[in-house]
């Protein structure tokens, strides 16, 4: 008979789900992952942060990622009105990896899931969770790949469904985000940057490029190089700033790209190789992140904004933190999920939130583009941009709002 009860069932096989499953399997727990889609599948969020490398190593997945041939990444470049500011992630305040990769998520997510399977994790693809009952043991109603219904129960449930947000929808946990509703229009391009001559600018494929619109700094662009000469290209802004979103998305994106002079020149020979897509109103919040029966991981619980590429980092960090609590609970310890999981996770999320909000109100942009930064302060900020938003030795983590306002005053 097929197993109908597990120690842990995980909804979603993306980065948080695969990492959580691997960590649980290491601890000898019976774990099942249920994934609605078939892998590989397209996903946005391609620029990893160095902090991710620690969680990948913890999950036994680092070697597979190192060997995959992804584009090396060692920092971030910010561009505004012809000025370029570089952050080298190896020159940071917090100990830990200073380099990572930029990845096409379809391949990357499948690599992590395949690695988890090789370790002994069970993943069922093409299956949809339709209901959840928390009356006794968490019990899921599922439609399998053959359109057959079944139920499965677990001692504990993890939601790693990302933007699918399965448990927030089924349990009515969704709450409005306090961040403004924004839209992202994006695609993949054959960038052909090596064919473009630029006298005053050298593009660095080892860094994500964040560019600010020259007339409206509420609009920004990402350019994420991949290995093999392609890039992820996107523009973000409040919907009314991007024009008529009923217009062809390719036209919208390239029109906005041409409004930023350096980006216009850099991508003058670029060719779109994937139809443009858009996501909107993506920032999300929930009434609760966890209980003694379930926990929300990554985007399923909280998504801020793509500007600092924090999504996969929060996903993996939440997986690592939640698994430690789950294992203790399964082993008979009493866990306070608010104190032991939600609050520690949100300390880092709220650090990112401080800088996301300050990016859009202009304060953090003033800091980024300040002409004479203090090297020590820049290292502390660089740590956060590298994903180390949980480092309580960093005063720009523990006192993020006060410290940010302090340096804003110094920059004026």
């Amino acid at each position: 008979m097929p197993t109908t009860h597990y120690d842990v069932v995980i909804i979603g096989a993306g980065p948080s789900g695969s990492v959580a499953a691997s960590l649980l399997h290491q601890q000898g727990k019976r774990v099942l992952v249920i994934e609605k889609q078939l892998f590989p599948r397209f996903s946005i969020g391609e620029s990893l942060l160095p902090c991710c490398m620690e969680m990948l190593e913890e999950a036994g997945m680092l070697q597979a990622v190192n060997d995959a041939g992804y584009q090396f990444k060692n920092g971030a470049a910010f561009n505004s009105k012809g000025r370029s500011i570089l952050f080298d992630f190896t020159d940071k305040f917090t100990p830990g990896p200073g380099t990572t990769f930029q990845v096409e998520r379809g391949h990357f997510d499948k690599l992590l899931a395949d690695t988890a399977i090789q370790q002994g994790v069970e993943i069922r693809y093409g299956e949809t969770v339709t209901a959840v009952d928390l009356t006794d043991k968490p019990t899921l109603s599922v439609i399998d790949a053959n359109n057959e219904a079944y139920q499965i129960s677990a001692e504990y449930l993890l939601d790693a469904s990302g933007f699918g947000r399965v448990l927030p929808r089924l349990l009515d946990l969704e709450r409005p985000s306090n961040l403004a509703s924004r839209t992202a229009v994006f695609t993949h391009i054959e960038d052909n940057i090596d064919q473009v001559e630029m006298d005053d600018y050298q593009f660095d494929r080892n860094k994500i490029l964040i560019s600010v619109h020259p007339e409206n700094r509420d609009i920004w662009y990402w350019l994420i190089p991949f290995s093999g000469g392609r890039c992820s290209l996107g523009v973000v802004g409040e919907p009314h700033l991007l024009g008529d979103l009923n217009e062809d998305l390719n036209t919208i994106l390239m029109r906005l790209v041409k409004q930023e002079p350096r980006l216009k020149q850099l991508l003058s020979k670029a060719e779109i190789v994937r139809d443009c897509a858009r996501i909107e109103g993506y920032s999300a919040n929930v009434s609760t992140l966890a209980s003694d029966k379930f926990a929300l991981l990554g985007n399923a619980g909280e998504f801020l904004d793509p500007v600092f590429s924090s999504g996969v980092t929060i996903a993996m960090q939440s997986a690592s933190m939640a698994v430690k609590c789950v294992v203790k609970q399964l082993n008979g310890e009493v866990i306070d999920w608010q104190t032991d999981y939600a609050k520690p996770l949100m300390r880092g999320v709220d650090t990112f939130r401080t800088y996301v909000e300050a990016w859009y109100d202009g304060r953090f942009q003033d800091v980024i583009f300040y002409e004479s930064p203090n090297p020590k302060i820049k290292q502390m900020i660089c740590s956060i941009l590298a994903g180390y938003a949980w480092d309580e030795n960093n005063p720009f983590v523990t006192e993020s709002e006060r410290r940010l306002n302090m340096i804003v005053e110094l920059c004026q």
Side-chain angles (χ1 to χ4, degrees):
M1 294 291 293
T3 302
T4 58
H5 185 79
Y6 287 78
D7 290 322
V8 182
V9 171
I10 301 173
I11 306 170
S16 62
S18 292
V19 167
S22 174
L23 294 173
L24 286 163
H25 182 73
Q26 288 177 16
Q27 296 296 316
K29 305 306 178 185
R30 292 168 299 145
V31 58
L32 169 68
V33 182
I34 296 174
E35 169 57 51
K36 182 177 182 178
Q37 295 180 293
L38 301 178
F39 280 22
R41 50 90 175 99
F42 178 79
S43 182
I44 203 67
E46 300 115 330
S47 194
L48 306 183
L49 300 182
C51 182
C52 294
M53 308 304 278
E54 294 185 328
M55 275 77 78
L56 290 171
E57 184 172 23
E58 184 184 3
M61 297 175 170
L62 183 58
Q63 191 62 51
V65 172
N66 284 338
D67 292 344
Y70 296 127
Q71 171 64 50
F72 177 79
K73 176 185 176 183
N74 62 11
F78 292 85
N79 170 52
S80 178
K81 297 180 179 178
R83 287 197 67 226
S84 229
I85 303 297
L86 303 181
F87 281 84
D88 179 350
F89 289 161
T90 65
D91 184 19
K92 56 180 172 46
F93 173 81
T94 304
T99 64
T100 185
F101 298 102
Q102 306 193 123
V103 301
E104 293 194 57
R105 284 284 304 279
H107 185 279
F108 177 76
D109 290 9
K110 186 176 187 301
L111 176 68
L112 298 192
D114 287 350
T115 303
I117 291 171
Q118 291 166 11
Q119 294 171 349
V121 171
E122 181 182 357
I123 300 179
R124 298 179 186 174
Y125 290 104
E127 302 204 348
T128 302
V129 175
T130 58
V132 59
D133 184 354
L134 301 179
T135 305
D136 186 20
K137 302 291 186 185
T139 301
L140 298 176
S141 298
V142 183
I143 302 295
D144 70 13
N146 296 316
N147 207 33
E148 298 288 336
Y150 72 94
Q151 287 192 327
I152 195 161
S153 63
E155 297 297 314
Y156 202 81
L157 184 59
L158 293 175
D159 186 351
S161 60
F163 288 120
R165 299 171 62 77
V166 172
L167 289 189
R169 288 188 293 103
L170 294 177
L171 299 177
D172 193 26
L173 304 177
E174 294 188 299
R175 297 295 181 268
S177 171
N178 58 0
L179 295 171
S181 178
R182 294 186 173 86
T183 295
V185 179
F186 52 89
T187 189
H188 285 178
I189 58 173
E190 196 76 38
D191 58 75
N192 297 315
I193 289 173
D194 59 349
Q195 301 177 24
V196 178
E197 294 184 9
M198 298 186 70
D199 296 331
D200 62 342
Y201 181 71
Q202 182 65 44
F203 180 62
D204 186 351
R205 298 196 74 89
N206 295 333
K207 293 177 175 63
I208 182 176
L209 175 62
I210 302 294
S211 301
V212 181
H213 192 282
E215 297 175 8
N216 190 334
R217 61 182 186 174
D218 287 336
I219 301 173
W220 64 274
Y221 311 80
W222 76 69
L223 188 65
I224 301 172
F226 299 139
S227 58
R230 290 190 174 188
C231 282
S232 173
L233 170 66
V235 62
V236 178
E238 293 184 43
H240 70 278
L241 298 176
L242 303 185
D244 181 3
L245 291 175
N246 293 317
E247 191 179 3
D248 175 70
L249 293 177
N250 291 16
T251 302
I252 292 172
L253 178 58
M254 298 317 295
R255 181 179 65 244
L256 288 162
V257 164
K258 290 175 183 177
Q259 292 175 10
E260 204 294 298
R262 180 169 286 170
L263 211 54
K264 175 184 177 181
Q265 185 178 2
L266 194 64
L267 300 180
S268 59
K269 298 184 183 298
E271 301 174 19
I272 292 176
V273 294
R274 171 184 288 276
D275 285 342
C276 284
R278 82 183 195 214
I279 54 173
E280 51 197 353
Y282 44 72
S283 296
N285 205 345
V286 291
S287 59
T288 183
L289 279 172
S291 73
D292 61 350
K293 296 184 178 181
F294 72 87
L296 309 180
L297 307 182
N299 296 352
E302 181 99 9
F303 183 74
L304 298 174
D305 190 270
V307 63
F308 301 128
S309 304
S310 61
V312 175
T313 296
I314 293 173
M316 291 186 181
Q317 185 75 41
S318 65
S320 177
M321 295 172 75
V323 164
K324 291 178 175 64
C325 293
V326 171
V327 170
K328 288 179 179 179
Q329 181 168 301
L330 292 177
N331 290 343
E333 296 185 39
V334 176
I335 297 296
D336 183 328
W337 280 90
Q338 182 65 22
T339 301
D340 298 334
Y341 173 68
K343 286 184 178 179
L345 176 63
M346 290 307 296
R347 278 198 287 270
V349 174
D350 287 340
T351 297
F352 280 124
R353 188 194 315 277
T354 296
Y355 295 97
V356 167
E357 291 177 345
W359 173 267
Y360 284 106
D361 67 29
R363 289 176 296 152
F364 196 42
Q365 292 191 36
D366 290 341
V367 172
I368 290 287
F369 293 107
Y370 184 56
E371 293 184 358
S372 304
N374 178 296
K376 191 69 174 179
I377 290 175
K378 186 173 181 179
Q379 287 178 335
M380 293 177 180
I381 291 173
C382 189
S383 287
I384 295 165
L385 295 177
Y388 295 95
W390 289 266
D391 176 15
E392 296 192 0
N393 292 316
N394 186 346
F396 282 84
V397 170
T398 54
E399 302 177 296
S400 56
E401 188 69 31
R402 188 178 76 82
R403 293 283 180 162
L404 176 62
N405 287 332
M406 179 183 73
I407 57 171
V408 168
E409 290 182 7
L410 293 175
C411 292
Q412 293 175 346

